[in-house]
Amino acid sequence: MLKQLLAIKHPHASQADADALQLVRTLGPWGLTALGIGAVIGGGIFVITGQAAAEHAGPAIILSFVMAAICCTFCALCYAEFAAMVPVSGSAYSYTYATLGELAAWFIGWMLVLEYGVSASAVAVSWTGYFLSLLEHFDIFLPAVLVSAPLDGELQPTGAIMNLPAACIVLALTWVCYVGIRESASANAAMVALKVGLIVIVIVAGWRYVDPSNWEPFIPANQGPGKFGWDGVLRGAAMVFFAYIGFEATSVAAQESRNPQRDMPIGMLASLAVCTVLYIGMAAVMTGLTPYYLLGTDQPVVTAVATHAELGWLRVVVEIGALIGLSSVVLVMIIGQPRIFMIMGRDGLLPPVFTRIHPKYRTPHINTLITGFGIAVLAAVFPLDVLGELTSMGTLIAFAAVCAGVWILRRTQPDLPRPFRIPFAPLVCLAGIVSCGILLSAMTAHNWALMLFWTAFGLIVYFTYGYRHSRLRGHP
């Protein structure tokens, strides 16, 4: 049994299975880069930045973004080598299957549900705050019981019914993903171009009113575990990390890329570079416009802009930019999650319904509907803090597995063609694993308890269905 659990799937077999799915290849390097930027820029800038600065890092949230970006760079290089060598959908799941075996691949695939599905729910919850702020301009106020989660961070009842706006935006974007990757990618590219332009306007306009005294002390004195000081900077890095999953979203669209060996590394690294610059710029402006301890709101960018009457015109710009940015993140996650399920279904680890392709749109349509409905339910019921922390943990675990997989495959199959090779591979892979481990160490015991519950549930699903139906062991 142990031998079967550790059985690997050769990368060439993954490619053959991928070709049989016959997805339409329409994405070039710029489309993939836009896909990555669409996933990254959203919750990190518009929500998490303010909360992490107010509660953990202070003005040093800038350093938190730098630390997270360094970790992501190591992981992005590993993803780029894998994506060029094994250009198939499935991302970390497919890569792990080729190196660490089936059980590890299932575990990583289950973590990717947190990375895509749960993160989409978290971002949709964030979307509600800016949507309500925009409605205030028109004197429209929705009932409180319909715009907040019925459960709090401790999973206790709040008296609310559901977060209706979050569920509605998820269902609307699910329909966009249902009708095709070309339409989804076109919608995403338009949203990316608009929101990047709006973010640049905020940075340039806001920089004139930055008060450097708000950056002092740059690293506030430590007030306890994870509360300011260098410990708080690390905790802030762990929080904002969940927004750095754009290049991962790029890799799941490998089968819909025209030239994945060339375009995947370009898309991953370019999207990471662009987003890191924008993150740091926005963090500097926000903490320079207003004292960091005032930014712990549902709309921290609006809070920062509102402290200067001269920037009153920017509030609507920020609200529109946030709605577009957060919508594009949800869109990319809804594109990515069904394709993870599709590959797991192709391998027999999930029921065949997850592999069905629409005869006209050539998308995993039933899979997309199931995923969209599940994301909408999570967004309607759970609060942001529960969803966001689980997303970060799932992402970090998946990234560490990819770094380990590249290292293992360099040793076990050194002759495989590698269109893109990481320079100094052992050092880069080790640095990626260690940096992910450091950020995971900043998570709280409560988060680890939720992760253990999620893992146990996933193992039950695997051993009751996936293990018995795995195609790797000859099942049809």
Side-chain angles (χ1 to χ4, degrees):
M1 180 178 180
L2 180 60
K3 183 178 180 180
Q4 292 175 340
L5 293 176
L6 298 178
I8 66 170
K9 184 175 184 179
H10 195 279
H12 292 169
S14 296
Q15 181 65 64
D17 285 346
D19 293 339
L21 289 174
Q22 299 181 340
L23 295 174
V24 182
R25 295 186 178 274
T26 61
L27 299 177
W30 298 115
L32 291 168
T33 300
L35 197 67
I37 295 174
V40 172
I41 296 181
I45 282 185
F46 297 115
V47 180
I48 301 298
T49 301
Q51 294 181 352
E55 300 172 10
H56 300 286
I61 188 63
I62 296 171
L63 297 181
S64 297
F65 276 116
V66 172
M67 293 170 65
I70 291 172
C71 177
C72 284
T73 300
F74 296 134
C75 298
L77 289 170
C78 294
Y79 265 105
E81 176 164 316
F82 251 140
M85 182 174 58
V86 192
V88 298
S89 295
S91 186
Y93 164 78
S94 295
Y95 308 154
T96 305
Y97 215 155
T99 55
L100 301 178
E102 183 174 281
L103 181 60
W106 170 267
F107 174 74
I108 295 304
W110 200 244
M111 292 300 103
L112 292 179
V113 176
L114 298 178
E115 183 175 341
Y116 287 90
V118 178
S119 71
S121 301
V123 175
V125 172
S126 304
W127 186 92
T128 297
Y130 284 93
F131 178 67
L132 297 178
S133 180
L134 183 63
L135 290 182
E136 290 180 6
H137 295 288
F138 306 97
D139 293 325
I140 298 175
F141 302 91
L142 299 180
V145 294
L146 294 178
V147 295
S148 58
L151 299 175
D152 62 15
E154 301 298 326
L155 303 184
Q156 299 299 316
T158 62
I161 297 175
M162 64 182 300
N163 189 332
L164 183 60
C168 288
I169 186 62
V170 170
L171 294 176
L173 293 174
T174 297
W175 176 82
V176 175
C177 294
Y178 181 93
V179 299
I181 186 70
R182 183 189 299 272
E183 289 76 10
S184 303
S186 299
N188 178 68
M191 287 191 286
V192 167
L194 185 55
K195 74 178 178 181
V196 169
L198 291 173
I199 290 168
V200 171
I201 290 174
V202 172
I203 293 174
V204 173
W207 195 262
R208 296 177 54 194
Y209 299 94
V210 164
D211 181 359
S213 65
N214 287 327
W215 292 333
E216 299 175 0
F218 188 66
I219 303 179
N222 182 265
Q223 299 176 14
K227 193 78 171 176
F228 306 115
W230 281 105
D231 192 38
V233 174
L234 181 60
R235 182 79 176 97
M239 285 186 66
V240 301
F241 190 89
F242 105 95
Y244 272 104
I245 61 177
F247 59 89
E248 162 85 14
T250 298
S251 71
V252 304
Q255 284 174 244
E256 290 142 298
S257 170
R258 289 194 295 266
N259 186 356
Q261 282 84 2
R262 182 200 68 181
D263 297 345
M264 297 300 291
I266 294 175
M268 291 182 197
L269 297 174
S271 61
L272 180 61
V274 170
C275 295
T276 299
V277 171
L278 293 176
Y279 271 134
I280 293 174
M282 184 67 94
V285 168
M286 287 173 61
T287 54
L289 287 175
T290 191
Y292 66 86
Y293 48 82
L294 299 179
L295 294 174
T297 65
D298 291 336
Q299 309 91 27
V301 185
V302 170
T303 301
V305 169
T307 58
H308 295 267
E310 302 88 346
L311 295 176
W313 62 275
L314 260 185
R315 175 174 173 176
V316 175
V317 174
V318 167
E319 290 163 346
I320 294 175
L323 291 175
I324 294 172
L326 296 172
S327 297
S328 66
V329 174
V330 176
L331 177 67
V332 172
M333 296 301 103
I334 297 175
I335 291 174
Q337 182 62 72
R339 284 153 181 79
I340 299 294
F341 282 153
M342 180 181 67
I343 304 306
M344 296 174 75
R346 178 200 66 194
D347 291 333
L349 303 185
L350 288 175
V353 67
F354 287 95
T355 65
R356 294 181 185 174
I357 303 296
H358 194 283
K360 176 182 178 181
Y361 300 126
R362 309 305 302 168
T363 59
H365 57 303
I366 298 177
N367 193 348
T368 298
L369 293 177
I370 294 172
T371 299
F373 180 76
I375 292 172
V377 170
L378 290 176
V381 173
F382 292 98
L384 176 62
D385 52 353
V386 171
L387 298 171
E389 298 287 352
L390 282 175
T391 298
S392 291
M393 296 186 74
T395 303
L396 286 164
I397 292 170
F399 285 1
V402 169
C403 294
V406 169
W407 198 355
I408 291 171
L409 209 57
R410 282 288 188 99
R411 299 293 299 272
T412 59
Q413 300 187 49
D415 298 327
L416 279 177
R418 290 174 170 83
F420 176 81
R421 295 179 66 90
I422 303 172
F424 309 106
L427 291 178
V428 171
C429 294
L430 181 60
I433 295 169
V434 171
S435 57
C436 287
I438 290 173
L439 294 183
L440 279 170
S441 70
M443 297 297 179
T444 64
H446 177 68
N447 294 331
W448 281 108
L450 290 175
M451 177 60 69
L452 290 175
F453 173 80
W454 177 252
T455 302
F457 179 57
L459 291 175
I460 291 173
V461 174
Y462 172 71
F463 283 108
T464 55
Y465 184 89
Y467 179 79
R468 299 179 179 182
H469 296 83
S470 172
R471 287 184 58 195
L472 198 60
R473 285 187 288 280
H475 293 281

